[in-house]
């Protein structure tokens, strides 16, 4: 009972199917072209959606790069400094409260003879009276009225701190043994005391005692509090102000890998009769520490990255949802034309997929390279252009995938399609 | 062609709403049936049943002799896509696609190749008198032209039944008349038409008219 619906003689073989129900179908090629057309019909919205992906992926990649960079830098720093530093504390008073200084006078030399020790030195903070001030002139108040810390240290401490001198020199073992009244001051202290040059042989007055300034330290790699202190030789300090009432320590710089061994030997080397008076604090095992810190950082950064990606995803989901809501009419129409639910789903998935993938890939690559350059880390993605040495960027699908084509672009497309 | 046997639809409650009472209607090949009734009388429910958007909760609806109630959802969708052409009041054209692309959309889910779709779309547009506006975007078309594109989209798939829901509802009377002329012409060419309207003037164009009041269908005697 097929009606005569068209001029005789014309045939539409694929439409004249006499089976009662022929299932709808959607060709792959048609699905893709519909998705592309859907993407391109709203250039601004597609661009925004794409931007969401770009931001999400960009952040993800940037953070990945940051993680790698941070981990490697942390590794370096721990290797260079912490892993080669041992501190020995004087805990004699826990055993006998009347003991003064347990470090022997030749403590630097004793520890220095241990295998793997570079420099070692004893230091403590000199406890001054309230009235004793640090000044740059015999009379008058100190620089700005604030107390300046005085540190008694043997020459090994200054060496172990790896100082950068702005002027002069640090004191050495001779100053130590000869009870010289000399001082090495930090750049900050020098500024506060108004000492700008050593040409004039300036002196600092601690209470009524004068100390000749022989060096100004601009920077140290360890024990940064030295920069804000007046450092005097240990023996001189002991002579002037007496032994410290506890709190003396020894700073040891070791060769890489020797820290643990030095820590175990230091106490005995210092006082074989009373090794219990000393407590050596070795650095954490470098391997363990590195793994721990790197692991923590990786987790933290990955969490951040995941959050960022999640935000990006939510953004895209939101935009897509709005797009779908906006196009309910179109969906209804397609359903009326025989589209199955899965055809609609496939089309929208293809559209979002195209937006997300193309936008994300493109930006992700670029950002990755940029962060990589900025943070001096090894790029783990290779730029696709560089392999062939061709400017593939201009022709790549990513550009079209952004959907930022102007209206003319769409019309051009339509015209091309018509001409086909 | 279309046969309703005691077909009715009750939306499940609570409380259940009987949108369309059981009704019998047979539409034969080549008939032009108009369906009238005030808003809320059940016209849309009727359209949904005949257009295979809803299955009746009682009775059966036969389309080309196929019991649509026995079909699975996918089969019903496919049947709808192949045998029924829809024309809506608000056209529902895709805004950024050329006229011929909108028409070709009617064949998208039929597995017809791109080139053939384009050729059939062109033929159909010529048939509805729009051969000169093949590449126009809907935004540049007048209301009457848009509805012609929509009619072409419904026709391109060679349906058994053209189902029009208020096809002139958004048009001025002159344009509406031209669309009705087009429908009448299709009717003369042998197409089976079912037009839902609340405009008596439109209803008068049909060879038969059925009225729906409060979910109850009755056949009006030809005037």
């Amino acid at each position: 009972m097929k009606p005569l619906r068209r001029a005789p003689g014309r045939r539409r073989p694929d439409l004249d199917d006499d089976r009662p129900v022929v299932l709808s179908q959607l060709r792959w090629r048609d699905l893709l072209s519909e998705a592309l057309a859907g993407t391109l019909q709203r250039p601004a919205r597609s661009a925004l959606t794409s931007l969401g992906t770009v931001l999400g992926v960009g952040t993800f990649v940037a953070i990945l790069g940051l993680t790698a960079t941070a981990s490697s830098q942390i590794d370096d720093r721990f290797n260079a400094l912490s892993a080669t530093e041992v501190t020995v504390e004087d805990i004699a008073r826990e055993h006998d409260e009347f003991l003064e200084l347990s470090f022997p006078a030749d403590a630097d030399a004793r520890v220095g003879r241990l295998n793997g020790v570079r420099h070692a030195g004893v230091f403590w903070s000199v406890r001054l009276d309230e009235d004793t001030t640090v000044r740059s002139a015999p009379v008058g108040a100190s620089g700005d009225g604030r107390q300046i810390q005085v540190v008694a240290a043997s020459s090994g401490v200054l060496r172990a701190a790896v100082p950068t001198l702005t002027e002069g020199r640090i004191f050495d073992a001779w100053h130590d043994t000869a009870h010289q009244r000399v001082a090495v001051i930090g750049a900050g202290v020098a500024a506060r005391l108004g000492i700008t040059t050593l040409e004039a042989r300036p002196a600092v007055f601690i209470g009524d005692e004068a100390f000749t300034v022989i060096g100004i330290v601009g920077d140290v790699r360890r024990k940064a509090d030295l920069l804000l202190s007046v450092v005097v030789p240990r023996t001189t300090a002991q002579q002037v102000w007496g032994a410290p009432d506890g709190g003396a320590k020894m700073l040891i710089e070791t060769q890489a890998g020797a820290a643990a061994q030095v820590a175990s030997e230091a106490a005995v080397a210092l006082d074989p009769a009373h090794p219990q008076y000393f407590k050596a604090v070795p650095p954490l095992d470098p391997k363990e520490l590195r793994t721990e810190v790197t692991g923590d950082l990786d987790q933290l950064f990955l969490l951040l990255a995941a959050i960022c990606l999640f935000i990006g995803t939510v953004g895209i989901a939101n935009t897509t949802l709005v797009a779908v809501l906006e196009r309910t009419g179109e969906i209804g129409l397609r359903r009326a034309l025989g589209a199955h639910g899965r055809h609609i789903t496939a089309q929208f998935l293809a559209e979002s997929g195209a937006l997300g993938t193309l936008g994300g890939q493109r930006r992700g690559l670029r950002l990755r390279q940029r962060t990589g350059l900025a943070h001096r880390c090894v790029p783990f993605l290779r730029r696709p252009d560089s392999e062939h040495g061709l400017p593939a960027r201009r022709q790549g699908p990513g550009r079209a995938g952004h959907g930022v084509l102007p209206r003319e672009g769409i019309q051009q497309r339509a015209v091309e399609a018509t001409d086909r | 062609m279309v046969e309703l046997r005691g077909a009715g639809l009750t939306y499940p409650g609570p409380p259940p709403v009987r949108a369309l009472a059981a009704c019998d209607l047979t539409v034969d090949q080549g008939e032009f049936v108009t369906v009238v009734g005030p808003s809320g009388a059940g016209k849309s429910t009727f359209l949904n049943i005949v257009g295979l958007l809803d299955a009746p909760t009682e009775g059966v609806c036969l389309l080309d002799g196929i019991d649509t109630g026995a079909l699975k959802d996918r089969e019903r969708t496919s049947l709808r896509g192949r045998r029924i052409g829809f024309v809506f009041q608000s056209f529902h054209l895709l805004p950024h696609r050329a006229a011929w692309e909108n028409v070709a959309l009617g064949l998208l889910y039929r597995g017809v190749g791109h080139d053939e779709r384009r050729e059939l779309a062109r033929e159909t547009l010529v048939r509805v008198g729009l051969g000169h506006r093949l590449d126009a975007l809907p935004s540049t078309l007048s209301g009457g032209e848009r509805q012609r594109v929509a009619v072409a989209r419904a026709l391109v798939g060679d349906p058994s039944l053209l189902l029009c829901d208020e096809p002139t509802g958004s048009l001025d009377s002159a344009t509406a008349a031209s669309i009705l002329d087009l429908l009448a012409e299709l009717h003369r060419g042998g197409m089976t038409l079912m037009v839902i309207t609340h405009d008596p003037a439109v209803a008068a164009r049909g060879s038969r008219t059925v009225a729906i009041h409060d979910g109850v269908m009755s056949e009006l005697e030809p005037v």
Side-chain angles (χ1 to χ4, degrees):
Chain A
M1 53 184 286
K2 260 191 179 305
L4 181 73
R5 279 181 298 244
R6 68 184 88 89
R10 249 179 42 189
R11 286 189 53 78
R12 297 178 178 183
D14 50 339
L15 297 185
D16 287 337
D17 199 322
D18 282 330
R19 280 177 290 168
V21 180
V22 182
L23 282 184
S24 299
Q25 50 175 303
L26 182 59
R27 296 181 174 191
W28 279 108
R29 185 167 166 255
D30 292 338
L31 169 64
L32 293 180
S33 67
E34 283 298 303
L36 187 63
T39 313
L40 295 179
Q41 70 181 9
R42 289 291 171 82
R45 199 198 65 211
S46 299
L48 279 177
T49 316
S50 217
L51 189 67
T53 335
V54 167
L55 289 181
V57 175
T59 321
F60 186 73
V61 170
I63 284 179
L64 277 185
L66 208 63
T67 317
T69 313
S71 311
S72 70
Q73 283 182 354
I74 286 169
D75 281 359
D76 289 349
R77 202 148 298 175
F78 276 125
N79 273 339
L81 289 174
S82 308
T84 57
E85 182 178 320
V86 177
T87 311
V88 182
E89 290 173 20
D90 179 357
I91 53 166
R93 285 177 185 231
E94 289 176 14
H95 300 278
D96 182 348
E97 56 181 311
F98 299 108
L99 283 176
E100 287 190 324
L101 185 62
S102 318
F103 286 109
D106 59 344
D108 291 19
R110 283 172 180 244
V111 174
R113 279 195 291 271
L114 289 178
N115 198 13
V117 173
R118 281 217 178 101
H119 306 287
V122 179
F123 67 93
W124 65 84
S125 281
V126 174
R127 191 164 298 176
L128 299 172
D129 300 339
E130 297 256 322
D131 308 334
T132 317
T133 55
V134 177
R135 308 179 304 271
S136 54
V139 289
S142 65
D144 50 9
R146 276 185 294 170
Q147 189 60 270
I148 293 174
Q149 195 191 3
V150 177
V151 173
S154 53
S155 55
V157 173
L158 285 173
R159 290 185 202 286
V162 196
T164 311
L165 289 163
T166 29
E167 219 172 333
R169 51 165 297 185
I170 55 174
F171 52 76
D172 56 29
W174 178 80
H175 294 94
D176 233 352
T177 48
H179 307 284
Q180 290 298 302
R181 303 270 170 127
V182 292
V184 170
I185 61 177
V189 175
R192 277 166 64 183
L193 291 176
I195 297 171
T196 51
T197 173
L198 297 185
E199 294 289 322
R201 302 281 183 270
V204 290
F205 294 85
I206 304 170
D208 292 329
E209 306 293 330
F211 293 82
T212 308
V213 179
I214 59 167
I216 299 177
V217 179
D219 197 12
V220 289
R221 294 187 62 190
R222 282 198 184 92
K223 234 179 127 27
D225 58 325
L226 290 182
L227 290 175
L228 292 171
S229 314
V230 173
V231 187
V232 299
R234 166 196 167 186
T235 48
T236 317
Q238 208 168 348
Q239 190 182 50
V240 176
W241 297 289
D245 45 351
K249 289 181 183 175
M250 178 172 238
L251 178 69
I252 307 172
E253 183 191 359
T254 71
Q255 284 165 359
Q261 167 240 320
V262 168
S264 68
E265 294 169 353
V268 182
L270 283 167
D271 188 350
H274 304 286
Q276 72 273 23
Y277 288 172
F278 302 99
K279 180 183 159 199
V281 184
L284 287 171
D285 178 38
K287 253 187 205 162
E288 199 178 301
L289 183 70
R290 186 191 311 168
T291 319
E292 234 171 65
V293 171
T294 312
D296 285 357
L297 268 179
D298 282 354
Q299 276 180 9
L300 178 74
F301 280 130
L302 275 177
L303 186 70
L304 272 177
I307 290 173
C308 290
L309 203 61
F310 179 71
I311 293 173
T313 316
V314 169
I316 295 170
N318 189 29
T319 326
T320 312
L321 180 66
V322 170
V324 170
L325 290 181
E326 186 185 77
R327 287 162 69 182
T328 41
E330 181 185 332
I331 296 172
L333 170 73
R334 288 177 186 274
R335 291 287 281 166
L337 293 176
H340 295 157
R342 63 191 169 90
H343 291 151
I344 305 288
T345 314
Q347 185 189 337
F348 276 89
L349 283 182
E351 282 186 26
S352 344
L355 275 179
T357 317
L358 298 176
Q361 270 184 356
R362 186 88 250 157
R363 289 297 170 200
L365 269 179
R366 280 196 198 158
L367 266 178
R368 184 66 190 76
Q369 285 153 359
R370 279 188 200 151
T371 36
L373 284 180
H375 295 279
R376 288 179 292 140
C377 60
V378 192
F380 55 76
L381 290 178
R382 184 185 270 226
R383 193 192 196 104
D385 316 359
S386 62
E387 219 169 68
H388 313 290
L390 283 176
R393 183 189 305 191
R394 295 285 159 220
Q395 318 150 357
R399 190 146 291 262
H402 291 326
V404 213
L405 284 182
R407 197 184 176 84
E408 290 77 16
I410 302 169
Q411 283 163 352
Q412 184 61 37
R413 240 154 227 285
V415 169
E416 282 167 13
T418 319
D419 292 345
R420 222 175 6 229
Chain B
M1 175 62 34
V2 179
E3 192 176 353
L4 300 178
R5 286 190 209 143
L9 193 138
T10 305
Y11 290 108
V17 176
R18 187 156 209 203
L20 187 67
C23 61
D24 296 292
L25 176 73
T26 306
V27 178
D28 283 327
Q29 175 65 50
E31 279 193 299
F32 185 169
V33 180
T34 51
V35 182
V36 295
S39 306
K43 291 201 302 286
S44 300
T45 307
F46 177 75
L47 171 89
N48 287 352
I49 291 177
V50 176
L52 308 187
L53 296 166
D54 271 337
T57 50
E58 56 185 298
V60 290
C61 172
L62 302 178
L63 177 66
D64 287 346
I66 302 164
D67 180 2
T68 59
L71 297 178
K72 282 178 247 160
D73 184 51
R74 278 173 57 183
E75 291 171 327
R76 203 162 56 229
T77 305
S78 306
L79 193 65
R80 175 168 71 227
R82 283 182 189 256
R83 310 227 175 179
I84 299 178
F86 284 92
V87 176
F88 305 98
Q89 177 178 359
S90 50
F91 322 138
H92 283 311
L93 301 179
L94 298 188
H96 298 276
R97 313 284 278 274
W100 77 262
E101 287 180 293
N102 268 290
V103 175
L105 203 62
L107 295 171
L108 182 67
Y109 300 100
R110 308 271 293 256
V112 182
H114 176 271
D115 294 339
E116 196 178 353
R117 282 211 304 272
R118 200 173 143 245
E119 179 54 27
L120 289 172
R122 195 189 60 78
E123 282 175 22
T124 317
L125 275 171
V126 169
R127 218 167 129 201
V128 300
L130 280 180
H132 58 296
R133 310 277 338 236
L134 292 178
D135 295 322
L137 289 177
S139 51
T140 65
L141 295 173
S142 72
E145 287 174 323
R146 288 182 205 182
Q147 193 60 296
R148 279 169 192 270
V149 173
V151 171
R153 182 181 60 202
L155 288 175
V156 74
D158 198 14
S160 311
L161 171 69
L162 196 60
L163 200 52
C164 309
D165 186 11
E166 303 272 12
T168 58
S170 310
L171 303 173
D172 63 77
S173 52
T175 320
S178 78
I179 293 292
L180 288 173
D181 289 343
L182 173 65
L183 294 181
E185 202 183 311
L186 293 171
H187 175 227
R188 278 195 298 278
M191 175 63 70
T192 313
L193 286 159
M194 195 177 276
V195 176
I196 290 171
T197 181
H198 60 259
D199 182 349
V202 176
R205 304 285 291 252
S207 54
R208 282 170 74 192
T209 302
V210 294
I212 301 180
H213 277 286
D214 297 332
V216 181
M217 180 192 284
S218 57
E219 175 118 22
L220 298 182
E221 292 306 314
V223 185

